[in-house]
């Protein structure tokens, strides 16, 4: 909303300007479609989710879903990105300000991922499918070029850089890469209890950073 002085000059009132109706509808539709895809994936698994079913559940047309997401793969990508971005917020809260001891802080962050992921319905569905041999949504969590993987790596790389400001940037990048990849690997195929895995992985990564 805007106010006007007598001179005709527009003065902002500080209130947000509402989206045009078409933009507002599109945003609302996108949320409804993603919510519908989320619920269907948690109920039956992504392999059983069709764009027609998503459109019907969201009460929108199938062409509208196509126009917004481009394809079923595009919808899956958007769905996992939304869920994982929310999840990464919890990881960031564990790292910042975080425990004073760097090892304890990294261990806590890895432990958070290994335990909290199982409490997130969609991430749990993706992991359960992967353990049964279906990787239909898994690439969105693990692909090198994927923004989800990049976001997790960037978060950890920034944190490690602050904890080790004198360390070589390339070694920081490698340490972040190893941490993210190994954490995802243990998330999908756990071999030990989360606390044990988190401690060992944190020790291995920091040994890499602290070695001559």
């Amino acid at each position: 909303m805007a106010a006007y002085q007598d001179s005709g000059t527009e003065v902002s009132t500080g209130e947000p300007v509402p989206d045009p109706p078409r933009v507002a509808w599109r945003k609302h539709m996108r949320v409804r479609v993603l919510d519908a895809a989320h619920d269907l994936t948690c109920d039956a698994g992504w392999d059983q989710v069709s764009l027609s079913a998503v459109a019907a559940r969201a009460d929108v047309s199938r062409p509208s879903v196509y126009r917004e997401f481009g394809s079923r793969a595009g919808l899956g990508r958007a769905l996992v990105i939304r869920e994982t971005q929310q999840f990464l917020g919890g990881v960031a809260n564990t790292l910042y300000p975080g425990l004073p001891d760097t090892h304890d802080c990294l261990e806590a962050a890895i432990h958070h991922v290994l335990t909290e992921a199982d409490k997130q319905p969609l991430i749990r569905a993706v992991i359960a499918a992967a353990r049964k041999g279906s990787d239909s949504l898994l690439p969105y969590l693990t692909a090198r070029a994927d923004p989800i993987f990049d976001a997790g790596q960037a978060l950890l790389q920034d944190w490690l850089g602050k904890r080790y400001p004198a360390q070589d940037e390339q070694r920081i990048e490698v340490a972040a890469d190893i941490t993210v990849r190994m954490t995802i690997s243990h998330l999908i195929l756990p071999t030990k209890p989360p606390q044990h895995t988190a401690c060992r992985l944190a020790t291995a990564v920091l040994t890499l950073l602290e070695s001559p």
Side-chain angles (χ1 to χ4, degrees), residues 72-87:
R72 182 174 177 274
L75 174 60
R77 183 182 180 86
L79 178 61
V80 176
I81 286 175
R82 184 182 75 162
E83 194 78 5
T84 308
Q85 284 177 339
Q86 294 173 352
F87 181 72

Side-chain angles (χ1 to χ4, degrees), residues 22-194:
R22 182 176 180 81
V23 174
W25 178 87
R26 182 178 174 181
K27 288 182 178 179
H28 181 61
M29 182 272 292
R30 183 180 179 88
V31 171
R32 285 165 55 191
V33 170
L34 288 173
D35 286 345
H38 174 280
D39 293 344
L40 289 170
T41 300
C42 292
D43 290 344
W46 178 252
D47 289 339
Q48 304 302 315
V49 175
S50 68
L51 290 183
S52 296
V54 172
R57 184 140 181 169
D59 196 23
V60 300
S61 69
R62 193 165 180 263
S64 294
V65 178
Y66 266 112
R67 283 194 296 270
E68 182 65 25
F69 298 98
S71 64
R72 182 174 177 274
L75 174 60
R77 183 182 180 86
L79 178 61
V80 176
I81 286 175
R82 184 182 75 162
E83 194 78 5
T84 308
Q85 284 177 339
Q86 294 173 352
F87 181 72
L88 285 176
V91 179
N93 290 336
T94 304
L95 293 173
Y96 294 101
L99 299 171
D101 182 83
T102 298
H103 182 281
D104 290 348
C105 190
L106 181 58
E107 180 182 335
I110 296 171
H111 186 265
H112 176 88
V113 173
L114 296 176
T115 55
E116 291 299 315
D118 199 47
K119 300 176 184 178
Q120 302 294 326
L122 188 135
I123 295 178
R124 185 174 66 243
V126 174
I127 294 168
R131 288 172 180 168
K132 293 176 182 177
S134 172
D135 62 354
S136 54
L137 277 178
L138 188 61
Y140 303 127
L141 289 175
T142 58
R144 171 179 288 277
D146 193 87
I148 293 173
F149 181 91
D150 290 346
Q153 186 176 359
L155 172 64
L156 190 57
Q157 190 172 333
D158 180 73
W159 178 79
L160 287 172
K162 288 180 170 58
R163 292 281 176 139
Y164 293 91
Q167 184 55 269
D168 178 71
E169 184 176 337
Q170 185 174 5
R171 186 176 286 197
I172 292 286
E173 181 180 352
V174 170
D177 183 274
I178 290 173
T179 306
V180 173
R181 289 183 182 279
M182 291 303 297
T183 300
I184 291 175
S185 176
H186 283 286
L187 187 61
I188 297 169
L189 295 173
T191 57
K192 298 287 184 180

